[in-house]
Structures are given as structure tokens and as C-alpha cells.
Amino acid sequence: MSKLWGGRFSGGPAAALEALNASIGFDWRLAPYDLKASKAHARVLHRAGLLDESELDRMLEALDGLAVDVESGAFQGTVADEDVHTALERGLVERLGELGGKLRAGRSRNDQIATDLRLYCRDHARGLGADLADLVSALAEQAATVVDAPAPGMTHLQHAQPITLGHQLLAHAQGFIRDLERLWDWDKRAAVSPLGSGALSGSSLPLDPVAVAEELGFARPVANSLDGVSDRDFAAELLFVCSMIGIHLSRLGEEIILWSSQEFGWVTLDDAFSTGSSIMPQKKNPDVAELARGKSGRLVGNLTSLLVTLKGLPFTYNKDLQEDKEPVFDSLDNLALLLPAVTGMVETMRLNTEIPRAAAPKGFSLATEIADWLVRKGIPFRSAHEVAGACVAHCEERGIELHEIADADLAGISEHLDPSVKAVLDVDGALAARTTPGSTGPRAVADQLAQVRESVEAWRDWAAPN
Ligand code: ARG
């Protein structure tokens, strides 16, 4: 029996309880982190005079050996172990006998699990950051090929004003850059060590939470042991960041789905990132983009699930908290699957610039240029807007585009108009006129691109490959 709590019980647990209670089925992936924290705890017990020199050496050696066997699969947790902590104590006792039982002093599964999950999250947040940086880079490099390629910019999915395709691709990159900032900022709050909180009240043994925190790469120990074993803000916040990434991916996915449709034809996906149909031989489907859109459901669901679990929980540890792990693992696992696929799809897609170029002026998307031309002549925008609107109405009646208005008709539409207005009814001219920082003009987009490329490199330094 590996149970950590047999002492006061007369009979064994019911099978139904055991099946319900066990977390070993999903917490085993925390084993390397639990072992790392155990080594830090062993050193602290030694400094407190609770393990002598040779006991510490044997303990550390056994923990290292266990880590090797966990990694190779030679040592595994079983359902009878209940959870990762129980399994690893069994492994330690198998190796060390009595001495293995000394490590639990001053420590509880409550502060252990809080520590392990933080370590896991912090580690994987860096991996997530690396995947995000790759995606931002893929978007930036595609944008670099279309810095001055016109496309209809849309509001309400209707043609609004011409933009450059590079500008739109970089707009997607900006969201993911904010997600990277969120991860970095989150990590500062997550970098707090609960180890030493014990079950809830700290410990009567002379432990050293500061030393433990330092050894485990945390900035400091928790300020309050009750909070230390109860706080799952770090998990909820990380799930929020994962949800936000999911939302951004869903918006990118949706656009790529639209763009790759017959009706748009702006983009051709590489065969390696497309799928076929089992019945329609001609089909080429954007499954990666659809999963980018679809996975947001479970990502938001995982956040919601944890928030609801946490709501109204009394202090301190409650078994409800065991429900924190699966949503976190599921979100991180799914993003680790999804992000490389989306990056590959973006890297390999071919933008067909002729179609969006031809579409850019359609739908009277240059009407604002007429209004701005009038404003430059001193006409109040309110009147200029009316005049430009009258031009649109004139064209709609005749089934023509703005640049096709007959010179002779201009003065009839408004006394302020003359044929020189036609000079602004040109997509490339309209784009080039947009030079303010952050705007869609090719020069502003080139500046933005340079900044994005620079920030990707900075984020790569912070992140770590999965
Ligand atoms: N498996 C538990 C969890 O995931 C570990 C902590 C158990 N603590 C307890 N008092 N039963 O939360």
C-alpha cells in the first residue's frame, strides 16, 4: 500500500472512491517538477539539521535515479498510488527504505501540488511563447511580400477603404505580440513559491522557503501560507491568456477560410496544409484554419471551467482544486498542437495579389478620398461627406465607378468639384497618402514590419522551444 494517509482508517477505501479520487491519470506529467521540488526540500531539511550529510547525499541520489526512471518509463505511477506525490514517495521508499519516509517532514501534498503546477505552467508558458514568436515571424515574413499590395479594407465585411495586405497580416501579428506580453507579465506574478506553506499554516520545523524559492527559480516565497495552498489565480490567468490566443487564432483562421474560398481567391493554401474530401475529389479544405477557429471553444471552456471551480471555495485546500489541472493541460496541449500547424499554413500559403488589387477600389471604397480632397480645399467635412455621398449615388444610378464620373457631370453634383478630383481616385495614390505611424501606407507598413521583426527576436530570447 502506497497510501499516504492510512493511519487512522480501519478499512480500505471503496473502489468507487479510489476511482474518483485518483489524479494519477492526469497528474503524472508533473513528476519531473515534483522531483525537482523534492530535491530543494531535501536540502532545506538538511540545513535544518533534519537530514545528516550522508542522508542528504543518498536522498538526492535516489531522487536523481527516480527522475531518470520516470523519464525512461522504468518507474511509473499506478492507480493504487492515487497521485503523483504518492507514487514518487513509494519510489523513494523502494530505493531508500526508512530514509525515504523522511522527506515528507514539513511538507504536504497541498503545497507540493501548488508548487508543481506553477513550475509546470511557467515552463510551458515559455514553450507557448516560442510557438507564438514563430507564428508572428511567419505573419511578418508573409507581410513583407505584400507591403504595398492593395486590398479592400473592410468594416462590417463591406468594402470600406483600400488598405495594403501587409497591413492586415501585421494586424494579426499585433494580437499575438500582445499575447506574448501577457505571458511575460503573467510570469512575474506566477514566480512565487508555495513550498513551505505545508498543509496550510506553514511549519514548526526550521525550513527555509526563501532558499527553496531560489533553487526552483521563483522570485520569492508566498507571503501567506493559506493563500499559498489555495491560490490558483496563476492557472486561471494562464487559461485566460490561452483563451485570448485562441480568440486571435480564430480570427486569423476565419480570414484565411474566407480568403481561400472560391469567392475571394486571395490565398492558395499549400497542399501540405490542406485536406481533401472522401466523396468530392475536387475538394481542398482549409482544415487547419478551421481548427484554429474551432479550438477557441475548448480554450474558453477550460477557462470557464476553472473559474467556476474556484468560485466560492472556502480557504484553504479543498479537493475541488484537483480539478485545476486538466483544463490547464488541455489548453497548453492544444495550443502546442495548433500553433505549429497554423504557423506552417501561414508560412506556405501563397497570396494571390491580383484579385485583392482589382477588388480594392470596388464598392466606392475611394469615396473618403473625395471628402478629404474637399476638406483640403477648406470645405467642412460635414459638407464634404454629403458631396462624396452624392458622387456615390450618381455612380450607383449609372452603374459606374467613381473614377468613371464624366468630367462634365462633376460640377452638377457639387459646385466644389472639378476634374482635378480624379487625381485622388487612385488606389495606389490613396495608399501612399497614408503616411502617419500605424497607417496602411506602404512606408508606414514597412516601419511597422521592422518593429515587429525586432520584437520577435526579443520575445525569442524570453521564450524557450517546447
Ligand atoms: N491530487 C491532489 C490535487 O491534485 C494533490 C493534493 C492532495 N491534497 C489533499 N489534501 N488531499 O490537488
Side-chain angles (χ1 to χ4, degrees):
M1 260 283 279
S2 59
K3 282 253 167 314
L4 302 183
W5 41 266
R8 56 113 53 221
F9 290 87
S10 49
L17 171 133
E18 254 190 336
L20 170 67
N21 210 33
S23 54
I24 192 88
F26 49 84
D27 68 12
W28 185 242
R29 61 168 87 193
L30 296 174
Y33 301 93
D34 200 74
L35 288 165
K36 204 173 157 196
S38 286
K39 285 177 73 177
H41 186 63
R43 290 198 179 91
V44 161
L45 289 179
H46 168 247
R47 257 176 277 138
L50 300 167
L51 288 179
D52 67 27
E53 197 71 40
S54 108
E55 286 176 325
L56 174 66
D57 289 346
R58 284 163 58 211
M59 185 79 83
L60 293 178
E61 204 188 316
L63 288 167
D64 284 338
L66 204 47
V68 171
D69 289 352
V70 165
E71 164 99 43
S72 73
F75 182 81
Q76 276 169 357
T78 70
V79 191
D81 286 324
E82 186 176 328
D83 59 24
V84 61
H85 323 291
T86 310
L88 293 176
E89 184 173 303
R90 172 173 63 79
L92 204 58
V93 171
E94 279 169 13
R95 283 166 170 73
L96 295 174
E98 281 262 278
L99 174 58
K102 284 199 167 188
L103 189 63
R104 213 197 297 165
R107 189 173 76 159
S108 151
R109 285 183 291 167
N110 298 352
D111 58 349
Q112 265 182 282
I113 190 63
T115 305
D116 296 356
L117 190 59
R118 275 180 196 260
L119 288 170
Y120 182 94
C121 287
R122 293 190 68 207
D123 223 14
H124 286 75
R126 305 267 171 149
L128 181 53
D131 286 347
L132 280 173
D134 288 345
L135 176 54
V136 171
S137 178
L139 287 164
E141 294 323 305
Q142 279 288 359
T145 67
V146 286
V147 164
D148 55 4
M154 312 214 188
T155 61
H156 312 270
L157 207 59
Q158 308 284 327
H159 286 206
Q161 292 174 345
I163 57 165
T164 51
L165 270 178
H167 197 46
Q168 180 121 344
L169 288 170
L170 289 174
H172 286 288
Q174 296 295 343
F176 296 117
I177 289 174
R178 283 194 296 279
D179 293 330
L180 277 158
E181 282 168 9
R182 284 187 185 95
L183 283 176
W184 170 81
D185 182 62
W186 163 87
D187 188 61
K188 285 186 284 180
R189 277 182 298 287
V192 178
S193 168
L195 210 58
S197 298
L200 72 162
S201 68
S203 177
S204 64
L205 303 173
L207 304 177
D208 186 353
V210 176
V212 170
E214 198 175 315
E215 178 168 343
L216 296 178
F218 290 113
R220 57 182 172 83
V222 292
N224 179 318
S225 64
L226 306 180
D227 181 47
V229 295
S230 312
D231 168 30
R232 294 295 184 276
D233 295 9
F234 71 94
E237 237 188 299
L238 182 59
L239 286 177
F240 171 75
V241 180
C242 290
S243 301
M244 207 64 241
I245 294 168
I247 302 287
H248 289 143
L249 285 167
S250 77
R251 299 183 71 173
L252 175 62
E254 169 65 7
E255 294 218 316
I256 290 178
I257 292 162
L258 277 175
W259 294 359
S260 65
S261 68
Q262 189 78 46
E263 284 64 29
F264 271 75
W266 294 13
V267 78
T268 307
L269 297 183
D270 194 86
D271 280 1
F273 288 92
S274 310
T275 56
S277 156
S278 52
I279 178 166
M280 297 165 284
Q282 86 286 5
K283 289 284 292 210
K284 186 171 156 188
N285 295 328
D287 285 27
V288 173
E290 288 169 300
L291 286 166
R293 188 176 59 185
K295 291 266 188 202
S296 52
R298 74 196 295 152
L299 294 167
V300 174
N302 288 335
L303 169 63
T304 309
S305 145
L306 181 60
L307 288 175
V308 176
T309 296
L310 296 177
K311 181 193 173 295
L313 276 188
F315 281 125
T316 53
Y317 180 85
N318 302 273
K319 198 60 177 253
D320 312 46
L321 289 175
Q322 183 162 285
E323 294 290 311
D324 61 357
K325 281 168 277 301
E326 287 162 290
V328 169
F329 297 156
D330 185 74
S331 287
L332 291 169
D333 288 352
N334 274 284
L335 285 175
L337 273 178
L338 183 57
L339 282 165
V342 174
T343 299
M345 172 183 66
V346 169
E347 268 169 357
T348 56
M349 68 189 190
R350 271 173 300 112
L351 289 159
N352 311 323
T353 53
E354 284 318 308
I355 296 173
R357 168 178 278 280
K362 295 210 175 120
F364 313 110
S365 67
L366 291 165
T368 317
E369 305 310 303
I370 299 178
D372 285 352
W373 181 84
L374 289 163
V375 165
R376 281 193 289 274
K377 295 183 77 170
I379 314 292
F381 187 80
R382 198 179 156 80
S383 318
H385 186 282
E386 288 290 312
V387 172
C391 291
V392 170
H394 177 93
C395 289
E396 273 195 321
E397 260 168 45
R398 289 160 181 79
I400 57 173
E401 291 289 338
L402 289 170
H403 67 273
E404 292 168 334
I405 301 177
D407 286 354
D409 289 344
L410 283 167
I413 297 172
S414 161
E415 53 175 336
H416 301 301
L417 290 173
D418 64 63
S420 70
V421 71
K422 298 263 183 80
V424 299
L425 295 177
D426 163 63
V427 167
D428 290 303
L431 292 175
R434 281 159 173 74
T435 55
T436 53
S439 59
T440 204
R443 292 189 55 177
V445 173
D447 288 347
Q448 188 192 164
L449 176 64
Q451 279 168 17
V452 168
R453 280 173 166 159
E454 209 180 293
S455 83
V456 170
E457 290 321 309
W459 286 119
R460 279 197 212 288
D461 288 343
W462 176 78
N466 259 323

